[in-house]
Amino acid sequence: MNEGHPRNLDCLNMKIHALNAQGTLTPYIEFIEHTLRDTHRQVSEQLTLPSIDVIVKTGSYVIPEKGIMGYCPEEHLIYLTIDTDSSAFKKKRQRIAQKNVYT
């Protein structure tokens, strides 16, 4: 966490909505939130971003090499589908965890 940046203030204009009624995202929520917030921070250092909603769900319709797929049907809305069984997604999560990025 950056000094002088409280955890939730650096992404006030991004809301993450996890479609998680079945609990399939539960083991990954911290990783997903950290990754989205870190990406938002990096992009907002270069660009002025509008307020956005990010909807995250599980599914198998993803880019196989990434284990994730996303699209923006509207200016302020992003949909992300994550295949939590994907080896690519699991490898990425493990690499980040080993770096202790989101502890």
Side-chain angles (χ1 to χ4, degrees):
M1 182 166 34
N2 293 337
E3 293 297 322
H5 292 274
R7 179 180 171 110
N8 292 326
L9 291 182
D10 58 341
C11 289
L12 284 176
N13 62 342
M14 180 180 70
K15 301 290 184 198
I16 301 168
H17 310 278
L19 304 184
N20 194 30
Q22 301 300 311
T24 53
L25 287 172
T26 300
Y28 310 101
I29 287 293
E30 185 178 341
F31 166 72
I32 292 166
E33 287 181 349
H34 167 77
T35 303
L36 289 171
R37 292 188 191 289
D38 188 53
T39 301
H40 184 275
R41 179 191 53 78
Q42 290 177 41
V43 172
S44 66
E45 289 173 357
Q46 303 297 317
L47 303 169
T48 301
L49 297 176
S51 296
I52 57 173
D53 286 294
V54 181
I55 298 173
V56 182
K57 68 181 198 77
T58 59
S60 58
Y61 185 70
V62 299
I63 299 169
E65 298 82 9
K66 302 291 183 184
I68 190 169
M69 190 276 300
Y71 68 100
C72 303
E74 300 173 27
E75 182 178 347
H76 301 273
L77 180 62
I78 299 171
Y79 281 94
L80 294 177
T81 301
I82 299 172
D83 182 354
T84 56
D85 293 326
S86 162
S87 61
F89 175 75
K90 290 177 181 179
K91 286 177 187 175
K92 177 69 172 177
R93 181 176 178 247
Q94 187 173 9
R95 278 194 305 268
I96 290 175
Q98 287 174 346
K99 293 178 183 179
N100 294 320
V101 173
Y102 68 100
T103 56

